[in-house]
């Protein structure tokens, strides 16, 4: 008898050619989760599902493993299960164990406990049919546990039995996964990461749809502090723990902010700064092989997030800009931030002296032509090139950070081994 | 990148002699001073020598000096310990509005216990007068606490005068001397002070250790209880490495007292002269430089809306100063000291504090001036409104 985790996935409409890519990415995600759990385990792929199994005969440490596995993008559900050879005797023992453990862990069940056994028999060599197995095991369990009462239509406890390839799997729980697509299976995206609540959430939402994340952060020393940068690095660490280590580009916009302040109308300063940020981000994205930019824009919260502002800022690029939070309420974003684990970090109040550059009355409905006219007095291309030339890149893992050399060989895997 | 450290009010670099002494205490003399055997005796001897050195710095008998975990604990012990021990006699305390937060917080905690506290206002330079203390004294006043040197602006309070005044009053007199020890001469007998707090890491010693002088006969209620070390005033196994470091630092500080203050005043003036020569206009927050403590200079410049921006800009040049005081840096309002002096947001939020030490060189202050020469006009050109 051994413990395993059944891992279920399946995006409706996964076509034939995409399937191997999907499955490979999912396997990597599961292996990453195993690594992050700090416990030994093996990831095995079989028909239509994965198993997390013991490695070198070391039993799985479920408490450390389950929470990490449950976070892997692309999973629909997981079940910690007992696996035995498919004989009735073994199935009975396993069922009894599974039942006892479930009852010990769930003390709030009503008594008598409505329960049923649900069997899927895919192995034609097994002597009993699914229905017969239900009745056999059901009866067996009823004898052992007087609190149970059969209820086929509305059970509170279901003992699942799967019989395939000579093995029987017994489990009582189906734990939901995050859904989505496996990390990295949808390509690469560059997240514009500020220290606020929204942008980390937007990054996570795209990670969930399979986007491999890179990030870019803009700072303006001496108006911003190293503490602000440390906060962004910490946010990256949290995101990296949902996927893989993230490359973080750090760009200085001090010169740009100064020039905007000296040469352009004050009420357009935020709009113009964000246009620069978008141009610079596109440059970084193209070089990194990313196919899209990602921002935490949510419609209507601040002056730069009205529809007109978005149009005027977006006008500087034709590169796809994904805004997954565009239709979320602040409360929904905050809920997600709690789930992702970035909320507490985001609200830390390190004074950002960037606010010194903020206009008293920012233009809320700027036109692209107005912005372009204001930019005529600025050496746009030069400022963008200067900013790109000083790009500093860090590789941020869940608990480690290091400088990333751009001439390092591609495909260097993680920082764990 | 070079290090021009001019934030000595926040903390100071430990001297090599201090590090050497502490290393010896960690590698060789690591016994427990309370042990009966020779390892304990050796450790106890080190503590005794350090105590003598620290006591010499303030003119105290070693038997009246007790080691603590720092200046904050020393002042807490003094204020709460004295107030609580004397509450039957009265429950009134007098202090000033510009004390360090450890003194103010301790007083506020006592207010919650039923004490009433008078917080004396200060003049535009941050100073109180002995007359103010006299006017506030009541029959039920049990404690007066006035700092010797204010950490933010360097104002020197008339503690000797206050000491004389209190000679004829039963109230106890506490002085927070954390910023004055090693910069101004201190003689506890002459000052007539009952309780005096000092801290090692402000005079090139280590962090985590301080001391409280308690005049003979003064009773304190202890803050912590334990095995009887430090005559029960502050029990707990002694922080021998820290104490040894404190002793080494105090010894050197005492020797430097003859020459260091004059040097620091000259360096302060050098800064101001350098700024004037460069055409940089400034305002001094606090008393005139020669009337203030030798090591502290608090400055505001036109067109600098946030001190923190200057701190980071100077950092890029390898020069380190602070804004407000180290404890206040995270808040976006003027510090309580500047506010008590009547300095508003426009001037106060952009203030920086330069604090020198006995180890500061001319080259270091010249670097400060050179950096400011570049930074201030650049920042002023950006036209920020100081609100």
């Amino acid at each position: 008898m051994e413990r395993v985790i059944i891992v279920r996935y399946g995006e409706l409409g996964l076509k034939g050619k995409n399937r191997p890519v999907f499955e490979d990415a999912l396997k990597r995600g599961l292996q990453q989760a195993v690594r992050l759990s700090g416990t030994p385990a093996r990831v095995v792929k079989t028909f239509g599902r994965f198993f997390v199994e013991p490695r070198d005969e070391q039993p799985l440490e479920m408490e450390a493993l389950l929470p990490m596995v449950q976070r892997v993008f692309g999973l629909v559900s997981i079940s910690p299960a007992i696996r035995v050879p498919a004989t009735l005797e073994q199935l009975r023992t396993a069922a009894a164990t599974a039942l006892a453990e479930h009852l010990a862990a769930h003390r709030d069940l009503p008594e008598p406990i409505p329960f049923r056994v649900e069997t899927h028999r895919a192995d034609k060599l097994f002597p009993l049919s699914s229905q017969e197995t239900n009745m056999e095991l059901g009866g067996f369990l009823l004898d052992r546990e007087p609190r149970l009462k059969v209820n086929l239509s509305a059970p509170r406890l279901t003992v699942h039995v799967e019989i395939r390839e000579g093995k029987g799997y017994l489990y009582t729980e189906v734990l939901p996964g995050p859904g989505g697509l496996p990390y990295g299976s949808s390509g690469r995206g560059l997240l514009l990461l500020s220290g606020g609540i929204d942008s980390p959430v937007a990054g996570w939402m795209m990670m969930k749809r399979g986007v491999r994340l890179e990030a870019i952060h803009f700072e303006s020393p001496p108006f911003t502090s190293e503490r602000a940068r440390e906060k962004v690095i910490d946010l990256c660490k949290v995101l990296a723990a949902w996927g893989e280590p993230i490359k973080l580009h750090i760009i200085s916009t001090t010169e740009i902010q100064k020039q905007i302040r000296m040469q352009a109308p004050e009420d357009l300063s935020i709009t113009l700064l964000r246009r620069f940020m978008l141009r610079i981000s596109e440059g970084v994205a193209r070089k990194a092989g990313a196919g899209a930019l990602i921002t935490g824009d949510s419609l209507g919260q601040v002056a730069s997030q009205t529809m007109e502002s978005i149009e005027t800022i977006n006008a500087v690029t034709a590169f796809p800009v994904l805004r997954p939070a565009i239709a979320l309420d602040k409360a929904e974003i905050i809920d997600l931030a709690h789930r992702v684990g970035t909320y507490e970090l985001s609200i830390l109040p390190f004074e950002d002296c960037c606010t010194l550059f903020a206009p008293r009355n920012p233009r809320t409905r700027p036109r692209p032509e107005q912005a372009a006219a204001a930019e005529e007095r600025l050496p746009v291309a030069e400022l963008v090139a200067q900013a790109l030339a000083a790009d500093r890149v860090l590789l941020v893992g869940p608990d480690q950070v290091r400088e990333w050399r751009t001439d390092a060989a591609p495909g260097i895997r993680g920082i764990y081994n | 990148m070079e290090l021009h450290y001019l934030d000595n009010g926040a903390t100071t670099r430990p001297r090599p002699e201090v590090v050497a002494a502490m290393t010896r205490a960690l590698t060789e003399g690591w016994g427990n001073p309370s042990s009966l055997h020779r390892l304990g005796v050796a450790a106890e001897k080190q503590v005794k020598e350090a105590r003598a050195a620290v006591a010499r710095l303030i003119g105290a008998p070693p038997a009246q000096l007790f080691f603590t975990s720092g200046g904050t604990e020393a002042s807490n012990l003094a204020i709460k310990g004295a107030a609580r021990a004397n509450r039957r006699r009265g429950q009134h305390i007098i202090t000033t509005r510009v004390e360090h937060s450890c003194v103010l917080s301790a007083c506020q905690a006592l207010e919650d216990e039923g004490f009433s506290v008078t917080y004396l206002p200060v003049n535009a330079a941050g100073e109180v007068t002995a007359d103010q203390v006299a006017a506030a004294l009541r029959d039920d006043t049990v404690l007066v606490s006035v700092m010797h040197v204010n950490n933010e602006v360097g104002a020197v309070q008339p503690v000797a005068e206050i000491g004389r005044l209190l000679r004829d009053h039963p109230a106890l007199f506490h002085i927070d001397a954390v910023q004055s020890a090693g910069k101004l001469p201190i003689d506890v007998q002459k000052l007539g002070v009952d309780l005096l707090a000092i801290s090692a890491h402000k005079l090139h010693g280590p962090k985590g250790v301080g001391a409280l002088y308690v005049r003979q006969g003064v009773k304190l209620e202890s803050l912590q209880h334990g095995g009887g070390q430090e005559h029960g005033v502050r029990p707990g196994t002694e922080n021998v490495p820290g104490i040894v470091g404190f002793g080494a630092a105090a010894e050197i500080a005492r020797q430097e007292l003859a020459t260091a203050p004059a040097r620091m005043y000259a360096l302060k003036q050098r800064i101001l002269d350098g700024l004037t020569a460069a055409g940089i206009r400034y305002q001094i927050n606090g008393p005139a430089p020669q009337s203030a403590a030798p090591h502290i200079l608090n400055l505001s410049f036109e067109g600098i809306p946030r001190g923190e921006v200057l701190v980071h800009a100077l950092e890029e040049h390898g020069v380190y100063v602070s804004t407000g005081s180290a404890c206040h840096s995270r808040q976006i309002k003027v510090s309580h000291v500047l506010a008590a002096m009547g300095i508003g947001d426009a001037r106060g939020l952009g203030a920086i504090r330069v604090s020198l030490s006995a180890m500061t060189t001319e080259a270091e202050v010249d670097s400060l001036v050179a950096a400011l020469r570049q930074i201030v006009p650049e920042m002023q050109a950006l036209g920020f409104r100081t609100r």
Side-chain angles (χ1 to χ4, degrees), chain B residues 115-279:
Chain B
F115 284 82
S116 78
V117 182
T118 300
Y119 299 91
L120 296 174
V122 297
N123 63 14
E127 299 152 334
V128 296
T129 65
D131 286 341
Q132 280 176 274
V133 178
L137 271 177
R138 305 187 332 210
D139 288 336
D140 62 333
T141 306
V142 289
L143 177 69
V144 175
S145 175
V146 178
M147 67 199 324
H148 193 176
V149 167
N150 176 274
N151 52 308
E152 286 194 36
V153 301
V156 181
Q157 307 300 353
V159 290
E161 225 184 301
I162 296 174
R164 278 195 294 278
L165 166 73
L166 290 175
R167 244 203 296 255
D168 302 319
H169 192 285
L172 291 170
F173 183 27
H174 163 250
I175 296 178
D176 167 6
V178 164
Q179 287 291 344
S180 61
K183 283 105 180 173
L184 297 177
I186 298 175
D187 185 327
V188 293
Q189 323 276 20
K190 292 204 188 121
L191 284 174
V193 63
D194 299 298
L195 301 156
L196 188 112
I198 54 178
S199 167
H201 78 99
K202 301 290 207 267
L203 33 93
H204 302 288
K207 294 174 192 56
V209 57
L212 178 68
Y213 159 74
V214 183
R215 195 169 59 76
Q216 189 161 29
V218 172
K219 293 260 177 300
L220 293 180
E221 209 179 272
S222 295
L223 291 180
Q224 66 187 47
H225 298 80
Q229 295 89 345
E230 301 294 286
H231 296 285
V233 171
R234 203 290 193 165
T237 299
E238 298 87 339
N239 173 6
V240 180
I243 288 170
V244 163
F246 195 1
E251 183 58 37
I252 299 175
R254 188 180 58 85
Q255 288 162 7
E256 301 252 337
L257 256 179
T259 52
R263 237 184 9 248
M264 289 189 267
Y265 278 120
L267 287 172
K268 247 211 277 191
Q269 197 55 47
R270 193 181 172 93
I271 295 173
L272 298 173
D273 292 342
L275 290 175
T276 307

Side-chain angles (χ1 to χ4, degrees), chain A residues 221-222 225 258 261-262 351 356, chain B residues 306 312-313 332 378 382-383:
Chain A
S225 69
K258 282 184 182 168
R261 187 172 180 87
M262 308 285 273
E351 165 72 352
L356 288 172
Chain B
R306 292 284 164 78
H312 293 309
I332 322 167
E378 251 182 51
L382 292 170

Side-chain angles (χ1 to χ4, degrees), chain B residues 10-65:
Chain B
T11 194
T12 56
R13 182 205 287 262
R15 290 180 183 277
E17 298 90 330
V18 167
V19 177
M22 292 180 73
T23 305
R24 276 195 304 275
L26 284 166
T27 54
E28 295 161 16
W30 43 265
N32 185 328
S34 301
S35 292
L36 298 174
H37 47 65
R38 69 160 64 93
L39 291 181
V41 171
E44 185 188 39
K45 184 153 172 253
Q46 290 183 76
V47 171
K48 188 168 161 197
E49 282 167 11
R51 195 187 308 274
V54 175
R56 271 197 297 272
L57 179 62
I58 57 174
Q64 303 312 125
L65 192 87

Side-chain angles (χ1 to χ4, degrees), chain A residues 85-88 91 119 121 123-130 133 163:
Chain A
T87 70
L88 193 51
L91 288 178
T119 306
R121 186 196 70 146
D123 183 351
K124 297 297 178 235
L125 293 177
F126 188 71
L128 302 180
S129 73
S130 298
T133 313
I163 304 171

Side-chain angles (χ1 to χ4, degrees), chain A residues 221-227 258 261-262 266 349-353 355-357 360, chain B residues 305-306 308-316 330 332 378-379 381-385:
Chain A
F223 300 93
T224 57
S225 69
E226 276 204 28
R227 286 202 158 90
K258 282 184 182 168
R261 187 172 180 87
M262 308 285 273
E266 187 189 311
F350 291 122
E351 165 72 352
D352 189 344
C353 297
T355 53
L356 288 172
F357 286 100
R360 276 168 302 182
Chain B
R306 292 284 164 78
E308 183 169 349
V309 175
L310 261 191
V311 169
H312 293 309
L314 284 168
E315 199 182 340
E316 283 169 16
R330 297 253 182 98
I332 322 167
E378 251 182 51
M379 202 97 30
L382 292 170
F384 293 116
R385 276 163 304 277

Side-chain angles (χ1 to χ4, degrees), chain A residues 88-321:
Chain A
L88 193 51
E89 194 51 48
Q90 294 268 14
L91 288 178
R92 282 201 190 109
T93 317
T97 310
L99 175 67
E101 284 172 358
H102 188 103
L103 290 177
H106 296 83
R107 300 205 182 264
D108 56 341
L109 292 168
E111 294 185 15
I113 306 171
F115 107 110
R116 68 164 295 169
V117 177
E118 194 166 316
T119 306
H120 283 292
R121 186 196 70 146
D123 183 351
K124 297 297 178 235
L125 293 177
F126 188 71
L128 302 180
S129 73
S130 298
Q131 188 55 10
E132 284 166 339
T133 313
N134 284 344
M135 296 201 299
E136 256 295 331
L137 288 178
F140 172 73
L141 291 175
L142 274 171
D143 285 341
R144 287 174 69 90
E145 180 52 71
R147 286 179 287 166
L148 297 177
K149 178 182 156 80
V150 176
N151 184 326
L152 298 180
S153 54
R156 289 290 298 270
L157 193 180
T158 302
V159 175
H160 296 268
V161 183
E162 291 185 21
I163 304 171
R164 49 175 76 230
E165 299 183 346
K167 297 272 201 257
Y169 297 83
L170 277 291
Y171 56 92
T172 57
E173 290 188 292
V174 177
L175 304 170
L181 296 169
Y183 189 72
S185 61
S186 299
R188 202 181 285 259
L190 182 69
L191 169 69
L192 278 69
L193 184 60
S194 70
I197 302 178
D198 303 354
S199 50
V201 168
W204 182 87
M205 291 171 80
M206 295 319 304
M207 286 170 76
K208 181 156 98 65
R209 285 311 291 171
V211 172
R212 176 179 300 281
L213 217 59
E214 243 173 84
I216 181 169
H217 174 67
F218 297 95
E219 52 177 29
S220 302
F223 300 93
T224 57
S225 69
E226 276 204 28
R227 286 202 158 90
R229 187 202 296 166
E230 285 304 313
K231 182 190 186 186
V232 167
I233 291 175
D234 286 340
L235 285 169
C236 263
K237 284 182 179 174
V238 174
L239 289 177
W242 283 91
E244 290 178 19
I246 295 176
K247 283 208 220 96
L248 173 64
H249 300 257
I250 299 177
I251 305 263
S252 168
T253 48
T254 311
E255 192 51 40
I256 292 172
Q257 294 234 51
K258 282 184 182 168
Q259 295 254 5
I260 291 175
R261 187 172 180 87
M262 308 285 273
Q263 315 275 21
E266 187 189 311
D267 56 359
L268 279 177
S269 54
I270 292 191
T271 310
L272 296 178
L273 178 64
R274 301 223 56 203
R275 281 164 62 104
F276 271 101
M277 286 178 173
L278 218 56
R279 291 182 180 106
I280 295 167
S281 300
E282 182 186 346
V284 170
R286 287 194 188 280
K287 207 165 135 206
L293 299 177
I294 303 163
T295 76
D297 290 330
S298 168
L299 199 60
Q301 276 185 56
V302 296
S304 62
Q305 291 172 357
T306 57
M307 250 190 267
E308 291 83 349
S309 271
I310 290 176
E311 182 198 352
T312 301
I313 293 168
N314 215 144
V316 300
T317 183
F319 209 64
V321 179

